[in-house]
Amino acid sequence: MSSTAQRYERFARFEAGGSSEVYEQWTAAISRDPEVLELIDGLPEDKRQPNLVLASARSCGAAAGPYPQFRSFLQERWEEIRPVILRRSTQTNEPRRCAVLLPLLAEIARTEERPLALIEVGASAGLCLYPDRYGYRYDDGDLINDPGRPDLVLDCITTGNPPLPRSCPEIISRAGVDLAPLDPADPRDLAWLDALIWPGMEDRRALLQAAAGAAAKSPARIIKGDLNAEIAGLIEAAPAEAAVVVFHTAVLAYVPKAGREAFRETMSGYTSGRPVHWISNEGSGAIPGLAAPAGDPGLFVLHHNGTAVARTGPHGQSLHWLQRVLP
Ligand SMILES: C[S@@+](CC[C@H](N)C(=O)[O-])C[C@H]1O[C@@H](n2cnc3c(N)ncnc32)[C@H](O)[C@@H]1O
């Protein structure tokens, strides 16, 4: 099996499986389809990701239906789909990931006894920079931080008894960096973010629209650049009275290994200086040198200052607490 075939087979099994029947079927079928694999292998290596290829096809009009229909679409419209793949990148922006960050954010604000300055690296359109604008319902518990409208409430199931806060911590500044920041007020960017949502996940689609609408009213400053190049300046610019929280979710898998190592070194150094906390919510093994607990490889690992504290559903849908760690 070629490496592209393996990649699609793994995506079907560990990522789409149980989440999107259509994507599971498409990617499993692609992994066994030499003609479609040949098309994909004609792309640069970093453009062959299932998410990117499928979202590009869908943004060109591919319907979420049976594989033979999708296969014909891909082959007939490849000359239109290919430039989208080359121009765009996987920038899925999932506000629900705030639900797995909130307990740590609240613990940090509580123990530091100060408000937070959030810095998100790999922010996409920045929809995870507004945890205080969403409501949260963990399991069947009470609503935390009522946003005043049901489409901004994030549901999350938990195991392991995470330290759930009663309210959201105060956030006095938010900033981000991305290689290609998206504008939540731009309909073309929003259409791309929508195409990145997997078929069958209509709740995510509705949340995206609601969150982008809320963000567009007062968007955070997201600078265009590489996370390693910009992180020091962003930390420097954060208000002195705040505890700085640098976080990233679903980003480092897109960064080459040397860049991930450099970022880990930078953040490990900062954790011993002024109150700078580092929260990482990434696929298992994404950060070289950081231990990942054993368990379901389809889950992300949530690290705080380099220590694994939870495993999480990749779209923020679940939080599996491992231990209670105070900053
Ligand atoms: C899958 S999206 C995740 C977005 C957001 N963190 C979330 O969880 O919803 C990954 C983002 O990381 C950005 N990215 C990838 N490599 C980067 C780098 N070296 N520096 C800055 N941003 C990067 C991409 O442009 C993309 O917007």
Side-chain angles (χ1 to χ4, degrees):
M1 200 183 240
S2 72
S3 63
T4 307
Q6 278 174 10
R7 195 169 186 174
Y8 278 71
E9 198 264 338
R10 277 185 64 81
F11 184 90
R13 212 146 36 109
F14 297 119
E15 298 193 45
S19 296
S20 171
E21 210 179 321
V22 172
Y23 268 18
E24 184 181 2
Q25 284 173 7
W26 286 2
T27 48
I30 288 173
S31 75
R32 300 186 295 268
D33 188 331
E35 286 176 42
V36 171
L37 286 170
E38 198 182 328
L39 281 184
I40 296 170
D41 279 333
L43 296 164
E45 215 279 330
D46 64 342
K47 293 285 179 180
R48 296 176 197 159
Q49 307 144 23
N51 255 335
L52 179 60
V53 171
L54 302 186
S56 300
R58 294 188 63 241
S59 77
C60 292
Y67 180 67
Q69 195 181 314
F70 175 68
R71 181 182 197 271
S72 304
F73 186 93
L74 210 55
Q75 290 180 315
E76 283 159 22
R77 305 276 288 273
W78 187 246
E79 289 313 309
E80 188 189 334
I81 296 166
R82 193 170 185 278
V84 181
I85 298 174
L86 297 179
R87 190 176 73 250
R88 289 291 192 178
S89 56
T90 305
Q91 294 199 269
T92 313
N93 203 181
E94 179 48 68
R96 198 185 304 269
R97 291 181 179 134
C98 287
V100 303
L101 302 177
L102 182 72
L104 272 184
L105 295 177
E107 285 286 282
I108 293 168
R110 185 181 65 78
T111 54
E112 293 287 356
E113 298 180 319
R114 49 177 108 194
L116 303 180
L118 297 185
I119 298 172
E120 183 179 14
V121 301
S124 183
L127 303 184
C128 294
L129 275 166
Y130 308 98
D132 46 347
R133 295 196 194 159
Y134 305 123
Y136 301 85
R137 189 172 286 106
Y138 294 94
D139 307 306
D140 291 326
D142 292 339
L143 179 61
I144 298 167
N145 197 48
D146 187 352
R149 43 189 282 195
D151 53 359
L152 286 177
V153 174
L154 312 179
D155 289 300
C156 181
I157 56 170
T158 74
T159 60
N161 204 18
L164 298 178
R166 294 216 173 123
S167 60
C168 219
E170 187 187 359
I171 294 163
I172 58 168
S173 94
R174 34 196 125 221
V177 55
D178 199 285
L179 288 177
L182 295 180
D183 178 354
D186 181 333
R188 285 163 306 179
D189 284 353
L190 209 46
W192 176 240
L193 289 173
D194 187 78
L196 283 161
I197 294 176
W198 303 354
M201 298 185 139
E202 299 316 312
D203 57 329
R204 289 182 60 200
R205 197 155 269 132
L207 175 59
L208 168 69
Q209 298 300 330
K217 288 182 191 143
S218 56
R221 190 173 74 95
I222 300 174
I223 54 176
K224 183 176 166 70
D226 177 76
L227 48 84
N228 277 308
E230 303 298 340
I231 189 61
L234 285 167
I235 292 173
E236 191 80 5
E241 68 272 30
V244 175
V245 178
V246 175
F247 73 97
H248 47 92
T249 85
V251 172
L252 294 193
Y254 304 98
V255 177
K257 189 169 179 226
R260 285 181 269 146
E261 279 170 348
F263 189 70
R264 188 206 63 215
E265 294 239 324
T266 302
M267 291 317 303
S268 304
Y270 268 116
T271 55
S272 56
R274 87 177 256 203
V276 174
H277 291 260
W278 172 32
I279 298 179
S280 164
N281 182 48
E282 298 285 346
S284 211
I287 309 182
L290 276 201
D296 181 348
L299 294 176
F300 281 9
V301 183
L302 184 70
H303 284 95
H304 176 218
N305 293 344
T307 300
V309 296
R311 296 191 79 100
T312 66
H315 298 118
Q317 69 275 39
S318 64
L319 175 62
H320 310 279
W321 203 253
L322 299 169
Q323 56 180 295
R324 187 184 171 93
V325 174
L326 298 181

mmCIF file of all heavy atoms in Angstrom, residues 89-95 97 120-125 128 177-180 182 225-228 248-251 254-256, ligand 1:
data_model
loop_
_atom_site.group_PDB
_atom_site.id
_atom_site.type_symbol
_atom_site.label_atom_id
_atom_site.label_comp_id
_atom_site.label_asym_id
_atom_site.label_seq_id
_atom_site.Cartn_x
_atom_site.Cartn_y
_atom_site.Cartn_z
ATOM 1 N N SER A 89 -5.531 25.857 2.361
ATOM 2 C CA SER A 89 -4.941 24.855 3.254
ATOM 3 C C SER A 89 -5.978 24.459 4.288
ATOM 4 O O SER A 89 -7.038 25.084 4.379
ATOM 5 C CB SER A 89 -3.676 25.398 3.921
ATOM 6 O OG SER A 89 -3.986 26.585 4.584
ATOM 7 N N THR A 90 -5.680 23.414 5.030
ATOM 8 C CA THR A 90 -6.636 22.944 6.034
ATOM 9 C C THR A 90 -6.648 23.937 7.188
ATOM 10 O O THR A 90 -5.674 24.053 7.909
ATOM 11 C CB THR A 90 -6.245 21.535 6.533
ATOM 12 O OG1 THR A 90 -6.141 20.692 5.407
ATOM 13 C CG2 THR A 90 -7.299 20.984 7.485
ATOM 14 N N GLN A 91 -7.754 24.646 7.312
ATOM 15 C CA GLN A 91 -7.824 25.700 8.328
ATOM 16 C C GLN A 91 -9.073 25.563 9.188
ATOM 17 O O GLN A 91 -9.544 26.555 9.768
ATOM 18 C CB GLN A 91 -7.819 27.069 7.641
ATOM 19 C CG GLN A 91 -6.497 27.341 6.943
ATOM 20 C CD GLN A 91 -6.300 28.804 6.670
ATOM 21 O OE1 GLN A 91 -6.663 29.291 5.616
ATOM 22 N NE2 GLN A 91 -5.763 29.521 7.646
ATOM 23 N N THR A 92 -9.585 24.363 9.241
ATOM 24 C CA THR A 92 -10.796 24.095 10.029
ATOM 25 C C THR A 92 -10.776 24.880 11.335
ATOM 26 O O THR A 92 -9.849 24.740 12.126
ATOM 27 C CB THR A 92 -10.875 22.588 10.359
ATOM 28 O OG1 THR A 92 -10.606 21.875 9.164
ATOM 29 C CG2 THR A 92 -12.238 22.234 10.931
ATOM 30 N N ASN A 93 -11.753 25.701 11.559
ATOM 31 C CA ASN A 93 -11.797 26.485 12.792
ATOM 32 C C ASN A 93 -13.000 26.020 13.597
ATOM 33 O O ASN A 93 -14.139 26.243 13.210
ATOM 34 C CB ASN A 93 -11.911 27.971 12.458
ATOM 35 C CG ASN A 93 -11.418 28.879 13.572
ATOM 36 O OD1 ASN A 93 -11.469 30.093 13.454
ATOM 37 N ND2 ASN A 93 -10.926 28.314 14.666
ATOM 38 N N GLU A 94 -12.720 25.350 14.712
ATOM 39 C CA GLU A 94 -13.780 24.692 15.467
ATOM 40 C C GLU A 94 -13.925 25.340 16.853
ATOM 41 O O GLU A 94 -13.171 25.034 17.779
ATOM 42 C CB GLU A 94 -13.436 23.198 15.595
ATOM 43 C CG GLU A 94 -14.430 22.394 16.377
ATOM 44 C CD GLU A 94 -15.883 22.649 15.964
ATOM 45 O OE1 GLU A 94 -16.259 22.280 14.855
ATOM 46 O OE2 GLU A 94 -16.634 23.244 16.775
ATOM 47 N N PRO A 95 -14.910 26.249 17.005
ATOM 48 C CA PRO A 95 -15.077 26.932 18.289
ATOM 49 C C PRO A 95 -15.316 25.985 19.456
ATOM 50 O O PRO A 95 -14.942 26.286 20.590
ATOM 51 C CB PRO A 95 -16.326 27.806 18.080
ATOM 52 C CG PRO A 95 -16.662 27.749 16.634
ATOM 53 C CD PRO A 95 -15.896 26.649 15.991
ATOM 54 N N ARG A 97 -13.770 23.608 20.388
ATOM 55 C CA ARG A 97 -12.532 23.256 21.090
ATOM 56 C C ARG A 97 -12.346 24.115 22.337
ATOM 57 O O ARG A 97 -11.594 23.758 23.239
ATOM 58 C CB ARG A 97 -11.337 23.373 20.134
ATOM 59 C CG ARG A 97 -11.369 22.289 19.057
ATOM 60 C CD ARG A 97 -10.195 22.338 18.107
ATOM 61 N NE ARG A 97 -10.283 21.258 17.117
ATOM 62 C CZ ARG A 97 -10.098 21.404 15.809
ATOM 63 N NH1 ARG A 97 -9.777 22.595 15.305
ATOM 64 N NH2 ARG A 97 -10.192 20.380 14.991
ATOM 65 N N GLU A 120 -3.275 32.861 20.502
ATOM 66 C CA GLU A 120 -3.474 31.587 19.806
ATOM 67 C C GLU A 120 -2.546 31.504 18.605
ATOM 68 O O GLU A 120 -2.550 32.394 17.738
ATOM 69 C CB GLU A 120 -4.927 31.425 19.343
ATOM 70 C CG GLU A 120 -5.154 30.056 18.688
ATOM 71 C CD GLU A 120 -6.576 29.810 18.221
ATOM 72 O OE1 GLU A 120 -7.368 30.760 18.143
ATOM 73 O OE2 GLU A 120 -6.883 28.639 17.916
ATOM 74 N N VAL A 121 -1.760 30.441 18.544
ATOM 75 C CA VAL A 121 -0.927 30.248 17.357
ATOM 76 C C VAL A 121 -1.635 29.251 16.441
ATOM 77 O O VAL A 121 -2.145 28.234 16.889
ATOM 78 C CB VAL A 121 0.519 29.803 17.707
ATOM 79 C CG1 VAL A 121 1.191 30.836 18.595
ATOM 80 C CG2 VAL A 121 0.570 28.449 18.368
ATOM 81 N N GLY A 122 -1.699 29.590 15.157
ATOM 82 C CA GLY A 122 -2.489 28.785 14.220
ATOM 83 C C GLY A 122 -3.962 29.043 14.451
ATOM 84 O O GLY A 122 -4.772 28.133 14.631
ATOM 85 N N ALA A 123 -4.335 30.331 14.421
ATOM 86 C CA ALA A 123 -5.675 30.734 14.873
ATOM 87 C C ALA A 123 -6.747 30.605 13.793
ATOM 88 O O ALA A 123 -7.932 30.705 14.108
ATOM 89 C CB ALA A 123 -5.630 32.179 15.373
ATOM 90 N N SER A 124 -6.376 30.444 12.540
ATOM 91 C CA SER A 124 -7.346 30.403 11.436
ATOM 92 C C SER A 124 -8.166 31.703 11.459
ATOM 93 O O SER A 124 -7.607 32.784 11.348
ATOM 94 C CB SER A 124 -8.210 29.139 11.543
ATOM 95 O OG SER A 124 -9.091 29.039 10.462
ATOM 96 N N ALA A 125 -9.479 31.632 11.664
ATOM 97 C CA ALA A 125 -10.283 32.862 11.744
ATOM 98 C C ALA A 125 -10.418 33.351 13.189
ATOM 99 O O ALA A 125 -11.160 34.306 13.444
ATOM 100 C CB ALA A 125 -11.665 32.634 11.138
ATOM 101 N N CYS A 128 -11.495 30.380 18.253
ATOM 102 C CA CYS A 128 -11.211 29.827 19.588
ATOM 103 C C CYS A 128 -10.666 30.903 20.535
ATOM 104 O O CYS A 128 -10.309 30.616 21.678
ATOM 105 C CB CYS A 128 -10.221 28.669 19.501
ATOM 106 S SG CYS A 128 -10.889 27.242 18.633
ATOM 107 N N VAL A 177 -1.710 34.389 15.620
ATOM 108 C CA VAL A 177 -0.856 34.359 14.431
ATOM 109 C C VAL A 177 -1.310 33.179 13.584
ATOM 110 O O VAL A 177 -1.720 32.140 14.108
ATOM 111 C CB VAL A 177 0.642 34.243 14.808
ATOM 112 C CG1 VAL A 177 0.924 33.048 15.696
ATOM 113 C CG2 VAL A 177 1.534 34.185 13.570
ATOM 114 N N ASP A 178 -1.257 33.367 12.287
ATOM 115 C CA ASP A 178 -1.562 32.263 11.374
ATOM 116 C C ASP A 178 -0.813 32.513 10.067
ATOM 117 O O ASP A 178 -0.593 33.666 9.683
ATOM 118 C CB ASP A 178 -3.078 32.185 11.096
ATOM 119 C CG ASP A 178 -3.479 30.818 10.543
ATOM 120 O OD1 ASP A 178 -3.203 30.545 9.348
ATOM 121 O OD2 ASP A 178 -4.039 30.012 11.316
ATOM 122 N N LEU A 179 -0.441 31.432 9.399
ATOM 123 C CA LEU A 179 0.216 31.581 8.092
ATOM 124 C C LEU A 179 -0.696 32.306 7.118
ATOM 125 O O LEU A 179 -0.233 33.038 6.244
ATOM 126 C CB LEU A 179 0.553 30.198 7.512
ATOM 127 C CG LEU A 179 1.689 29.427 8.177
ATOM 128 C CD1 LEU A 179 1.830 28.052 7.524
ATOM 129 C CD2 LEU A 179 3.013 30.188 8.088
ATOM 130 N N ALA A 180 -2.003 32.090 7.259
ATOM 131 C CA ALA A 180 -2.977 32.709 6.348
ATOM 132 C C ALA A 180 -4.263 33.001 7.131
ATOM 133 O O ALA A 180 -5.228 32.244 7.033
ATOM 134 C CB ALA A 180 -3.276 31.768 5.190
ATOM 135 N N LEU A 182 -7.794 33.911 8.367
ATOM 136 C CA LEU A 182 -9.071 34.036 7.661
ATOM 137 C C LEU A 182 -9.895 35.115 8.349
ATOM 138 O O LEU A 182 -9.748 35.363 9.554
ATOM 139 C CB LEU A 182 -9.822 32.703 7.671
ATOM 140 C CG LEU A 182 -9.140 31.558 6.906
ATOM 141 C CD1 LEU A 182 -9.976 30.280 6.994
ATOM 142 C CD2 LEU A 182 -8.889 31.928 5.454
ATOM 143 N N GLY A 225 1.814 35.172 9.710
ATOM 144 C CA GLY A 225 3.205 34.792 9.888
ATOM 145 C C GLY A 225 3.331 33.397 10.455
ATOM 146 O O GLY A 225 2.340 32.698 10.671
ATOM 147 N N ASP A 226 4.580 33.025 10.707
ATOM 148 C CA ASP A 226 4.868 31.699 11.242
ATOM 149 C C ASP A 226 4.888 31.761 12.764
ATOM 150 O O ASP A 226 5.401 32.712 13.356
ATOM 151 C CB ASP A 226 6.232 31.230 10.729
ATOM 152 C CG ASP A 226 6.596 29.889 11.316
ATOM 153 O OD1 ASP A 226 6.050 28.873 10.866
ATOM 154 O OD2 ASP A 226 7.419 29.855 12.260
ATOM 155 N N LEU A 227 4.339 30.748 13.392
ATOM 156 C CA LEU A 227 4.230 30.766 14.859
ATOM 157 C C LEU A 227 5.582 30.917 15.546
ATOM 158 O O LEU A 227 5.716 31.649 16.532
ATOM 159 C CB LEU A 227 3.460 29.534 15.353
ATOM 160 C CG LEU A 227 3.814 28.135 14.844
ATOM 161 C CD1 LEU A 227 4.950 27.531 15.627
ATOM 162 C CD2 LEU A 227 2.597 27.235 14.917
ATOM 163 N N ASN A 228 6.630 30.249 15.020
ATOM 164 C CA ASN A 228 7.943 30.373 15.672
ATOM 165 C C ASN A 228 8.514 31.775 15.542
ATOM 166 O O ASN A 228 9.169 32.276 16.451
ATOM 167 C CB ASN A 228 8.925 29.355 15.075
ATOM 168 C CG ASN A 228 8.765 27.990 15.715
ATOM 169 O OD1 ASN A 228 8.787 27.880 16.941
ATOM 170 N ND2 ASN A 228 8.579 26.964 14.905
ATOM 171 N N HIS A 248 -2.687 26.401 21.368
ATOM 172 C CA HIS A 248 -2.884 25.971 19.981
ATOM 173 C C HIS A 248 -3.667 24.672 19.994
ATOM 174 O O HIS A 248 -3.506 23.833 20.876
ATOM 175 C CB HIS A 248 -1.553 25.787 19.251
ATOM 176 C CG HIS A 248 -0.522 25.023 20.007
ATOM 177 N ND1 HIS A 248 -0.361 23.664 19.893
ATOM 178 C CD2 HIS A 248 0.387 25.439 20.919
ATOM 179 C CE1 HIS A 248 0.624 23.281 20.693
ATOM 180 N NE2 HIS A 248 1.094 24.334 21.334
ATOM 181 N N THR A 249 -4.562 24.551 19.018
ATOM 182 C CA THR A 249 -5.320 23.317 18.873
ATOM 183 C C THR A 249 -5.321 22.930 17.407
ATOM 184 O O THR A 249 -5.579 23.762 16.533
ATOM 185 C CB THR A 249 -6.779 23.457 19.387
ATOM 186 O OG1 THR A 249 -7.599 23.987 18.367
ATOM 187 C CG2 THR A 249 -6.890 24.324 20.620
ATOM 188 N N ALA A 250 -4.994 21.668 17.162
ATOM 189 C CA ALA A 250 -5.006 21.121 15.798
ATOM 190 C C ALA A 250 -4.135 21.925 14.836
ATOM 191 O O ALA A 250 -4.537 22.209 13.721
ATOM 192 C CB ALA A 250 -6.448 21.049 15.273
ATOM 193 N N VAL A 251 -2.940 22.276 15.287
ATOM 194 C CA VAL A 251 -2.047 23.105 14.465
ATOM 195 C C VAL A 251 -0.731 22.378 14.160
ATOM 196 O O VAL A 251 -0.262 22.369 13.024
ATOM 197 C CB VAL A 251 -1.740 24.445 15.183
ATOM 198 C CG1 VAL A 251 -0.672 25.237 14.444
ATOM 199 C CG2 VAL A 251 -3.008 25.264 15.331
ATOM 200 N N TYR A 254 0.514 20.299 11.182
ATOM 201 C CA TYR A 254 0.781 20.963 9.899
ATOM 202 C C TYR A 254 2.153 21.635 9.874
ATOM 203 O O TYR A 254 2.509 22.277 8.893
ATOM 204 C CB TYR A 254 -0.319 21.993 9.599
ATOM 205 C CG TYR A 254 -1.696 21.356 9.613
ATOM 206 C CD1 TYR A 254 -2.512 21.428 10.734
ATOM 207 C CD2 TYR A 254 -2.148 20.640 8.505
ATOM 208 C CE1 TYR A 254 -3.759 20.815 10.761
ATOM 209 C CE2 TYR A 254 -3.394 20.019 8.524
ATOM 210 C CZ TYR A 254 -4.192 20.107 9.654
ATOM 211 O OH TYR A 254 -5.410 19.483 9.676
ATOM 212 N N VAL A 255 2.885 21.527 10.976
ATOM 213 C CA VAL A 255 4.189 22.187 11.079
ATOM 214 C C VAL A 255 5.274 21.109 10.949
ATOM 215 O O VAL A 255 5.182 20.060 11.601
ATOM 216 C CB VAL A 255 4.309 22.910 12.451
ATOM 217 C CG1 VAL A 255 5.669 23.553 12.627
ATOM 218 C CG2 VAL A 255 3.192 23.943 12.607
ATOM 219 N N PRO A 256 6.307 21.350 10.121
ATOM 220 C CA PRO A 256 7.374 20.351 10.008
ATOM 221 C C PRO A 256 8.030 20.067 11.363
ATOM 222 O O PRO A 256 8.002 20.921 12.267
ATOM 223 C CB PRO A 256 8.375 21.014 9.048
ATOM 224 C CG PRO A 256 7.584 22.051 8.311
ATOM 225 C CD PRO A 256 6.509 22.506 9.251
HETATM 226 C C1 LIG B 1 -6.652 22.964 11.455
HETATM 227 S S1 LIG B 1 -6.484 24.687 11.654
HETATM 228 C C2 LIG B 1 -6.906 24.880 13.365
HETATM 229 C C3 LIG B 1 -7.449 26.253 13.677
HETATM 230 C C4 LIG B 1 -7.799 26.518 15.126
HETATM 231 N N1 LIG B 1 -6.630 26.404 15.971
HETATM 232 C C5 LIG B 1 -8.872 25.589 15.631
HETATM 233 O O1 LIG B 1 -8.570 24.694 16.434
HETATM 234 O O2 LIG B 1 -10.024 25.744 15.274
HETATM 235 C C6 LIG B 1 -4.700 24.888 11.636
HETATM 236 C C7 LIG B 1 -4.265 26.325 11.434
HETATM 237 O O3 LIG B 1 -2.862 26.422 11.702
HETATM 238 C C8 LIG B 1 -2.290 27.310 10.761
HETATM 239 N N2 LIG B 1 -0.850 27.029 10.686
HETATM 240 C C9 LIG B 1 -0.252 25.909 10.211
HETATM 241 N N3 LIG B 1 1.090 26.031 10.300
HETATM 242 C C10 LIG B 1 1.352 27.233 10.868
HETATM 243 C C11 LIG B 1 2.549 27.937 11.202
HETATM 244 N N4 LIG B 1 3.752 27.399 10.992
HETATM 245 N N5 LIG B 1 2.432 29.155 11.767
HETATM 246 C C12 LIG B 1 1.215 29.717 11.971
HETATM 247 N N6 LIG B 1 0.046 29.099 11.658
HETATM 248 C C13 LIG B 1 0.113 27.879 11.110
HETATM 249 C C14 LIG B 1 -3.060 27.027 9.483
HETATM 250 O O4 LIG B 1 -2.952 28.108 8.561
HETATM 251 C C15 LIG B 1 -4.481 26.827 10.006
HETATM 252 O O5 LIG B 1 -5.220 28.029 10.016
#
